[in-house]
Structures are given as structure tokens and as C-alpha cells.
Amino acid sequence: MADKDDGGGAAGAAGDDGGEQGTVARLSRAVTLVNDFLATVCMNLAGIGLVILTVIFGWLVFGRYVLNSTPTWVEQISLLLVVFIAFLGASAGIQEKTHLNVDVMTMRMPRRIKAFLHAVVYLTLAGFGIFLAVYGFKLVQFKWGSLIPLIGWSEGIRVLPLFFGGVLITLFSLGHLLAMSRSGWDKITGIEPDELGD
Amino acid sequence: DAKEWRAWNIHVEGYPNTVAMDKFAELVKDKTGGSLEITNYHGGVLGNQPDAIEQVRIGALEVGNFNLGPMGTVIPETNVVSLPFIFKDLPHMHRVLGSEAGEVIKQGMMEKGLVPLAWYDSGARSFYNSKKPITQPSDVSGMKIRVMNNELFTGMVGALGGDGSPMAFSEVYQALKTGVVDGAENNWPSFESTGHFEVAGYYSLTQHLIIPECVCISKTAWDTLSDAEKKAVEEAAVESATLQQELWAKRSEQSKQKVIDSGVNYNEIADKAAFQDAMKPVYAKYIEANPAQADLIAKMQAVE
Amino acid sequence: MGLALLLGLFALGVLIGLPVAFCLGVAAVITVAYEGLPLVIAVQRLVSGISMFSLLAIPFFIFAGELMFHGGIAGHLVRFASSLVGRVRGGLGVVNVFSSMLFGGISGSAVADVSALGSILIPVMKEKGYSDDYAVNVTVTSSIAGIMIPPSHNMILFAVAAGGGISISKLFLAGVVPGVIMCVCLALAAYVVAVRRGYKSEPFPGMRNLFIHAVVALPGLFTAVIIVGGVLSGIFTVTESGAFGAIYAAVVTLIGYRTLTYEKFKTAVIRSVRTTAMVMILVACASLYAYMLTFYRVPSQMIDFMMGISENPIAILLMINLMLIVLGMIMDMAALILICTPIFLPVVMAIGMDPIQFGMVLMMNLGLGLCTPPVGACLFVGCAIGKVRMEKTVKTIWPFYAAILAALLLTTFVPAVSLTLPNLWQ
Ligand code: NA
Ligand code: NA
């Protein structure tokens, strides 16, 4: 996590800008706390989604072979669940820093340039999050009148995870930026190596 | 300078629709004196049909060659063509689309931002399976049949006593081969080109679904055309439709011949009325859920 | 200009360290805006990219693998492999390769293979006097078996990127022979290096113990039988078989091995979600990116370009392999499958190569990329587990690269290697 130093500006260093520093640091710490909590909630919800996905597919097979009547809703609900798992999990990945990036070039750079580039990365991610939230919402509205076949729900539901994901990605990226302003440069990918996927 | 339009088509090179769409683009260029150029993107490379419909409605694409079947979730009026046995045969479908009922369907499409210019054929869908010939409704009883994603189709198989199972198209060959499903339903060319005839040896000409396709223009793009251009584009679409229908008939006959030569057991249905009767609960349920379309359905049925 | 923007922004994003999925997404969104296309379409491509039925199998394969791993099955597989092939010189090196082959039938991912087997085998190998670089090299390179031997979620990505016309069951079958050939080459390399370094063999535990180890490993290996057998026999579709595999894995580790606690189950779920989300966000963004590549007609232009350089199939295939190796060195596997398939598949089909065979070439090639610096997820994980510097392992990894290259060339130029099994089954 970004929250490695507990000392520093939080105690309110003396000096002219000390008060402001303290406020930023406190704010940043609060944001990190809230964001960590949000990310955990996302992961748990997505986890429940995965278990449901597995169980309903078990039910599909059971229905086809034992009940001789294939449940027709499983396919459509599963497709909704996958989008849900993907965007919730991917947003949480921003907070937990589990996304794969390439740091061969940035690795050998001076700290200040590295910090600058990482700020650019988080700003870009925040921008992408805003794009997802705004245009995701527009697509939800556009699709709202269409229906998903066989289950009859609105097609807009399919896009909702992108809207929420966009909001979360923005929050998480800005939170990291704030944390950087407090504790300086920190790694974008901070995971244990064995948690990498391919 | 010339307007540049992009067109979506799901079919591969050489398919009747693909040839016809290329002809359409060529005719549009000729007839507008080069003021409008259409680039075709064949093979569904810009997305599946629901996506492409959305892209045309939003104005990201200007032209689409759409099947009316999956359009029903967006444009309710188009769902009526998915009612089993609503059309007697291909010529009847064209008569209905040319009638007042056709105007109602067109109007529904216009309201959602699609301008339909001409109708293409996609033949008639019939049942095929790996078990036995279907000659009467009770033959379907107990069979697991793959259908497209639409309540009408699961309802149709259910009304015949079978289990209508929606399944991704890409999984069907495997599922037929291994008995996950007993049968599916499609037209001759698809039955042949998917190789399903290798694993489902009985094709029964129920012709339960005859679903038209259309050449649609995005409303926003259409509104930018001059009257002369509109006329040119419409003519081009209608001429391309004539070509498509010819090619389709030819292709259909070829596929049928190839499949029968390969040893598929093929039978026609002597008593179609028995199947149509079995659909009464499907119609009743549909009209109950969509009372606004009762009049449209009656109009369609009234066309001789 | 638009195309330059699309490619340039992506490269820029990679260089400044933006996560790869978002490099694709951001570059494509900006290009969509540049072309004046409605931006909601970009969102549509992101959603539609993952609302695909064939992708549903991916979370299931990942989940089944994680359950088996956290349920402790990897240890049983290693013990079985050890009693079976540990007797040769440099025994543990060969055992490592063989375990990867077995574990490949459970896991669909090379990185999972490295972390599952590496965390068991690398410490044991170091303890028995094998040098750390050797232990890591064997573990890392043999992990590609996880991709080649079915089930494999990367093959599903390939099928999806190819446009859905390729049968996943055939791809699964096709991977077996190239996967085994690659493992044989690697085992040979492991043996030769071990002999030159004077590593010892493992004692044979006796027929009785071999039998016991086999029986204990069997229920775990049965996951592969369920998933692959379920598909081939037609009891399940690919997706259903994945779900059933996951359910089976949960049941067998919970009731059979009794090693799956609630905590471990939860860990397996969360890790599966993490990997699934990473793969899916990549698929979503790659699908948007591919939309723009198609918009600029890159795939069809690529055919003209390659044919313009040479019309000799051998030259074209070597060229493609070289490009893939270079790309694989600097980029991640899943992203490359999704981007390269639509571009290269039409080219190889134009010179008469079967798409299934190309899939195998692509898998093995990009798998090699996972084991090379500067960007190689398997190599990173292996080095972290072995607590050894990447520079050190890479100095002695060449025999293993050579083994994979030999298998790769065989797979590239001998169609029968990939196609015999799927054709037989048909
Ligand atoms: Na595997
Ligand atoms: Na290994």
C-alpha cells in the first residue's frame, strides 16, 4: 500500500505552510483509508460474483441432465456477472496496484523524473476513469430502453459496472496522487510477485 | 468533397449478402456521381449485430445489413417477424413487408434511428436433428433443441414438447456432435456452411421462421443527404436487394443439394397446420405481453 | 495520422509505466475522439469485448486452478513425479519439468504454474545442492506447459481474437503434442546441464510408494480429465466443463484431501477474481483497440506488407516468429494474443497455414516471451521465489531457450505436430 510512512507531515511540521501540509496529509490518509475499504468491498463483491457464476453454471448442467429442462437465464446472467467481476476487480486493482505495467525504462530514472512520470500515469488513469464514468453513464441511458433477451432486464444494466468502475478508478488514482504528494514517489505496481497473472 | 460512409455486414466474402453489399457500394458511387462513397466492413469485424445496430443508431456507422430477428429487443415492432409460422413462405414475407403492416415495422425502425431501404432474404429456418425425421409436432417432444436468444423460440420448442435451449452459436457443432443438444434450426446455407449437417442427419422442412434482413441507413447520416442523393441511395439498395435475392436462391439450392448428396435425410412437412395450431399459446402469450402489437399481427395475418 | 496516434500513444503509455491494459484503452479512446467518432462507442466496445460467451470459461479455469493450488494438490503432483522420474541424473530438474506437464493439465496459466510448483520445488532443489539459477531456469521455462497443455485460458483468448470460428476443443487437443514435445526437449536440456554440473539423482522410493503417490495424486489430476474429457465426450460445453471443473476442485480438496479451509477457499476466490479481472480488462481494452486497428484496415494492409517482403512461406513464418519473439520480450502474453491474432492470422492463412497450428506457434512463442527479460512475468516470479537476481539466471538459461526454440521450429514447420490429434478425434 501507499501508506508506508506514518510520521512526516501528519504531525504538522512547524513553519509557514505547516498547517496546510498537515491538512493535506490528514486528508490523504483519510482518503487512503476510505479507498482501501472501497477496494476491499469491490474484491469481496466480485468474489461473491465468481462463486455465484460457478454455482449457476452447475445448476445449468443439473437442469439439462437431471431436470431435462435447461434454465434459459443462466447464460445471460453470467455475461452480466463477468462484466461486473471484471470492472470491480480491475478498479480494485488500481488501489491494490495489481495491474501489470512495464517499468524497464522508468526503473533506472532519477527519482524526481520517476515521480513526475508516476504522477502522469495516475492523472491519465483518473482521466480514463472520468471518461468511463461519463460516457458509461451516457451508454447506460442510451441502452436503457433495450431489453436483454430471455431475462427481460434492461441492457443498461450491462454497462453499469463500467460507470461504477470509472468512478472508482478516478477515486483510487486521485487518492494515489494525493498520497504521492505526501510521501513522494512510490511504486505503481506494489504486488507480491506470485500474485501476478498472465 | 465526397462523403465517406462505413457499412457493417456480418457475412464473409463470397456470401450473397456480401456480394450484394459490394454491389450496393458500387451503385451508390455511380448513381451519386462519386459524391458518396461507402466502404464495406464484412465479416462482422466491427462488432456483433446488436453492437452494430447501436453504432448505426448513434451514428458511428452509416450503413448496416441487419437481420430483423435480433432487432426485436431494441425495436419492439420488428419482433413480430420472429413469431413462428407468421409467414407462409418467402414470397408471402415480401408481400407482407410491402403491405401496410410493413409500413408499421418500418416506422418503428425509423423512430429508433434506422432508415430501412430494402429487404434482403435470409431464407426459411427449419429444424434439424441427429435423432429422427420430424413430421408432426409430437416428434419434437423430448428433444433438446438449440435456439437463438429469444423467448419466442424457447417458447416455440416448448409448445412442441421439446426443451428449447439457447446456446452460443459457436458451441452448437460440438454440442450436436456429442449430444449435448439433439438438434437446432437454421436455413440451408447455414446448415451446410457450419458443417452441422455432418453431425445432424435429419433436416425437416418446417420453415417455422422466415426472417427478413434489411439494408439500413443511420438516420443522422440520411438527413445529411440531398433529395437526389437519397433517391440514388434508395435505388442502389433496391437493386442490390434484387441481386441478393437471386444469389440467395441460388446459394440455397446449392447448399440443399450438397447436404442431400452427403446423405442427410430430408423430409417435407405434409401437415403444417398441426405445427401452426401448436403455436397458439405462444401467440397468446406474446399478445398478452405486447398488446400494442395485436393489431400489427392481425394485419400481417390478413395479407394473402 | 490517426493510426500513428493509435500506435504512438500506446507505446508512450508503455514507456511511462501505465498498466498495459490502460495503454490500449487510453490510446484507443483518444484516437476515437480524434476521428470524430461518438465516444459512447468506445464504451460499447469495452463492454462487448467481454460480454462474450466463450470468455466465460476463463474465470472457471482460473478458479479451478487456484482451488487445486490452495487445496494443496501441487505437492502431491510433485511427489508423484519425483517417485516416477527422479531416478535419472539431475533428477529434480527432470522432476520439475514433468511436474509442470502434469500441473499443466490443471492450471491454464504459466505464472500460476511457476508460483505453485516453484514455491515447492525451488527451495527443495536449493537444499539438495542444485544452484539457484538452475532451479529457477527449469521452473520458469517448463511452466509454458501450463499454456500448451489443456485446459488453457490463453487458447480461449486466441479463439476469441480469431473471431470465434476456431473450435476450442480442437485447440485444446492440438496443444497436447507440442506441449509434450516441448517438455521432452526441456527435460533433455535439464538432464544435460545437470550432468555437466554433476547433480545427483533421487532414490527410487519403491513400487509401493510409487503406487501410493500415484493414487494420492490421481483425484487432483482428475480435474484435467473432467475439464478436457467433459468437452471431448460432449457431456459439457467448454464453459460448463470449466464450471464443473471448479466445482469438482472445491469438492475434492474439501472432502477428498480435506485441505481446503474457509480461509484458503477465500484466498482462492480473491486471487481468481484478481487474475480474471486483469485478463478481462485487458480483453476489453484490446477489443476497443482492435476496433480502431480494423477502422484503419491494418489487418488487410499487413497481408500486403508481408507478401510484399517475401512470398516464400518459410521466410514469412520465420519473420512472424521473430517479430513475436521480440514483441514477447517486451510485452505481456494476453495482450499480444489479442492484438497479434487479428493481424497475423490472415497472413498465415494466406500462405496456407491452419489457424489451429498458428495458435500453437503463437502460444509457444509468447510463452517463451514470459521467460525472457526485460518483461517476463514467469521469470520475475521465478526469480522472486528463488531469491536470485534476474541477471544471474539469464546467464545460464540459454540451453532451455534452445530447447523451446527447437520445439517452436518443429511446431512451426511440421503441421502434423499440432494437427494430428485434432484430426484424429474428428
Ligand atoms: Na493448462
Ligand atoms: Na516447472
Side-chain angles (χ1 to χ4, degrees), chain C residues 86-101:
Chain C
R87 276 166 289 173
V88 297
R89 292 267 298 277
L92 282 181
V94 182
V95 166
N96 192 325
V97 175
F98 195 69
S99 304
S100 282
M101 219 166 84

Side-chain angles (χ1 to χ4, degrees), chain C residues 190-254:
Chain C
Y191 173 77
V192 170
V193 175
V195 168
R196 286 188 53 181
R197 293 191 177 188
Y199 294 141
K200 297 198 181 61
S201 61
E202 293 298 300
F204 181 59
M207 282 313 278
R208 201 184 117 82
N209 280 325
L210 172 64
F211 178 73
I212 291 173
H213 293 159
V215 169
V216 174
L218 214 58
L221 282 175
F222 204 65
T223 319
V225 178
I226 286 198
I227 294 182
V228 180
V231 175
L232 298 185
S233 68
I235 301 170
F236 307 132
T237 64
V238 177
T239 317
E240 291 164 6
S241 80
F244 207 75
I247 292 172
Y248 170 80
V251 170
V252 87
T253 47
L254 192 71

Side-chain angles (χ1 to χ4, degrees), chain C residues 51-133:
Chain C
S51 291
M52 288 181 72
F53 190 75
S54 29
L55 289 172
L56 278 174
I58 291 178
F60 294 141
F61 291 163
I62 293 172
F63 193 25
E66 288 287 350
L67 282 168
M68 278 294 171
F69 175 32
H70 289 278
I73 182 64
H76 296 298
L77 289 184
V78 169
R79 208 169 310 137
F80 171 53
S82 178
S83 53
L84 201 63
V85 294
R87 276 166 289 173
V88 297
R89 292 267 298 277
L92 282 181
V94 182
V95 166
N96 192 325
V97 175
F98 195 69
S99 304
S100 282
M101 219 166 84
L102 294 179
F103 196 73
I106 293 171
S107 151
S109 123
V111 178
D113 190 308
V114 174
S115 53
L117 296 173
S119 50
I120 296 173
L121 273 166
I122 294 176
V124 173
M125 288 175 79
K126 286 196 335 196
E127 194 187 299
K128 299 221 169 171
Y130 292 76
S131 71
D132 47 9
D133 58 317

Side-chain angles (χ1 to χ4, degrees), chain C residues 197-368:
Chain C
R197 293 191 177 188
Y199 294 141
K200 297 198 181 61
S201 61
E202 293 298 300
F204 181 59
M207 282 313 278
R208 201 184 117 82
N209 280 325
L210 172 64
F211 178 73
I212 291 173
H213 293 159
V215 169
V216 174
L218 214 58
L221 282 175
F222 204 65
T223 319
V225 178
I226 286 198
I227 294 182
V228 180
V231 175
L232 298 185
S233 68
I235 301 170
F236 307 132
T237 64
V238 177
T239 317
E240 291 164 6
S241 80
F244 207 75
I247 292 172
Y248 170 80
V251 170
V252 87
T253 47
L254 192 71
I255 297 167
Y257 291 110
R258 302 192 182 194
T259 38
L260 188 71
T261 59
Y262 173 72
E263 278 311 311
K264 283 182 181 168
F265 177 75
K266 205 179 154 191
T267 311
V269 170
I270 293 297
R271 285 174 54 120
S272 307
V273 164
R274 197 165 285 153
T275 311
T276 303
M278 257 194 293
V279 173
M280 290 296 172
I281 197 80
L282 204 50
V283 174
C285 291
S287 129
L288 167 59
Y289 197 81
Y291 182 83
M292 288 317 288
L293 283 176
T294 310
F295 179 92
Y296 294 118
R297 302 200 156 257
V298 171
S300 48
Q301 283 172 4
M302 193 67 181
I303 302 184
D304 300 342
F305 173 72
M306 300 279 278
M307 295 298 194
I309 297 179
S310 167
E311 290 200 12
N312 179 348
I314 295 181
I316 289 184
L317 288 177
L318 282 175
M319 212 150 61
I320 289 180
N321 264 321
L322 198 68
M323 283 195 219
L324 287 173
I325 288 179
V326 173
L327 286 172
M329 284 169 73
I330 53 170
M331 257 184 80
D332 192 49
M333 177 158 191
L336 281 174
I337 294 177
L338 294 161
I339 299 169
C340 291
T341 304
I343 296 177
F344 287 135
L345 188 62
V347 178
V348 297
M349 284 174 75
I351 58 171
M353 189 182 213
D354 191 296
I356 291 182
Q357 189 197 353
F358 177 67
M360 298 309 117
V361 172
L362 188 72
M363 293 298 129
M364 204 182 280
N365 205 321
L366 299 183
L368 176 61

Side-chain angles (χ1 to χ4, degrees), chain B residues 170 173-174, chain C residues 159 164-173 238 356 425:
Chain B
S170 56
Y173 181 92
Q174 192 59 26
Chain C
I166 303 177
S167 145
I168 291 170
S169 344
K170 279 192 182 175
L171 279 174
F172 276 9
L173 273 177
V238 177
I356 291 182
W425 175 71

Side-chain angles (χ1 to χ4, degrees), chain B residues 87-104:
Chain B
F87 299 119
K88 296 181 183 116
D89 47 31
L90 214 47
H92 181 243
M93 178 195 85
H94 284 290
R95 287 199 299 277
V96 172
L97 290 173
S99 76
E100 202 191 326
E103 283 309 311
V104 176

